[in-house]
């Protein structure tokens, strides 16, 4: 059974860089038909898609993050990484890693990690 | 971006009630809408994909439909575990976007 586990810095200072990793187990990130996404949820708020990596390294990001974000993969470690630069308090959120199933005509997030809370504070 | 507007933002119901949640997209997204349930402190879990297809393992009391720019999620007989927050999500085009959420509370 595929499992995703987020980890990384839980406290980041304003203007610094947030770095998170998603470890994928029980399956391969190289499998066709899937992309690997980051989604976040500010305290008491809704869900915001950050971006994804797919098809051997191609990426797509939410324009709302204005070029501050990058997502990469390490196939040897079966990990997906998120980097968010120049963070502010508005970036405080629970960050989820999720798989987007693209096998059929319609795409959906079918596997999620538990999420990790990142707080931006001095 | 495709905007999705979800309503109501909250509702109160009793165990056994039937409830309906609506999601309206800013443009036609055909059947590219998914529904998730999120329990407090947990990750969202997929309930319905492609507007009306039940995810494997999800109880049949959940159903979905779509017409034009509107999609609906219906829970036919609320159970205790269904008191949670529900989100719709469009998968028509990136950036993928979610509705604002509907909190289902116990009356």
């Amino acid at each position: 059974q595929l499992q995703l586990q987020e980890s990384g810095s839980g406290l980041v200072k304003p203007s610094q860089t947030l770095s998170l990793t998603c470890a994928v187990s029980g399956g391969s990130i190289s499998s066709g038909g899937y992309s690997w996404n980051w989604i976040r949820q500010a305290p008491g708020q809704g869900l915001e898609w950050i971006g994804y990596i797919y098809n051997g390294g191609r990426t797509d990001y939410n324009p709302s993050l204005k070029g501050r974000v990058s997502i990469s993969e390490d196939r040897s470690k079966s990990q997906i990484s998120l980097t968010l630069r120049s963070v502010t308090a508005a970036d405080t959120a629970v960050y989820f890693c999720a798989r987007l199933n693209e096998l059929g005509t319609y795409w959906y997030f079918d596997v999620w990690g538990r999420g990790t809370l990142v707080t931006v504070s001095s | 971006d495709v905007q999705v507007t979800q309503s109501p933002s909250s509702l109160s119901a009793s165990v056994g009630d039937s409830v309906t949640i609506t999601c309206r997209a800013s443009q036609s997204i055909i059947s590219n809408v998914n529904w998730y349930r999120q329990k407090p402190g947990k990750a969202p879990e997929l309930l319905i994909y492609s507007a009306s297809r039940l995810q494997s393992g999800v109880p049949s009391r959940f159903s979905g439909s779509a017409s034009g720019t509107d999609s609906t999620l219906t829970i036919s007989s609320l159970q205790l575990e269904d008191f949670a927050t529900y989100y719709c999500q469009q998968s028509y085009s990136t950036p993928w976007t979610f509705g604002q959420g509907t909190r289902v509370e116990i009356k």
Side-chain angles (χ1 to χ4, degrees), chain A residues 33-83:
Chain A
Y34 304 104
S35 65
W36 305 93
N37 296 250
W38 286 97
I39 295 164
R40 69 180 181 179
Q41 186 171 36
Q45 301 301 307
L47 299 160
E48 179 184 28
W49 178 72
I50 298 170
Y52 68 180
I53 189 164
Y54 65 104
N55 195 17
R58 296 184 181 185
T59 54
D60 190 8
Y61 304 120
N62 194 324
S64 69
L65 291 164
K66 297 176 183 177
R68 296 191 294 130
V69 62
S70 60
I71 296 173
S72 61
E73 64 179 15
D74 185 333
R75 294 190 173 190
S76 67
K77 295 181 179 178
S78 198
Q79 291 180 345
I80 307 296
S81 295
L82 170 70
T83 300

Side-chain angles (χ1 to χ4, degrees), chain B residues 16-38:
Chain B
D17 285 353
S18 176
V19 299
T20 297
I21 300 168
T22 298
C23 185
R24 173 164 290 175
S26 58
Q27 65 183 75
S28 174
I29 56 173
I30 313 174
S31 296
N32 291 280
V33 63
N34 309 310
W35 291 93
Y36 303 85
R37 175 178 67 184
Q38 185 178 33

Side-chain angles (χ1 to χ4, degrees), chain B residues 86-98:
Chain B
Y86 293 81
Y87 294 94
C88 61
Q89 175 248 329
Q90 65 82 17
S91 56
Y92 181 76
S93 64
T94 60
W96 313 127
T97 47
F98 294 83

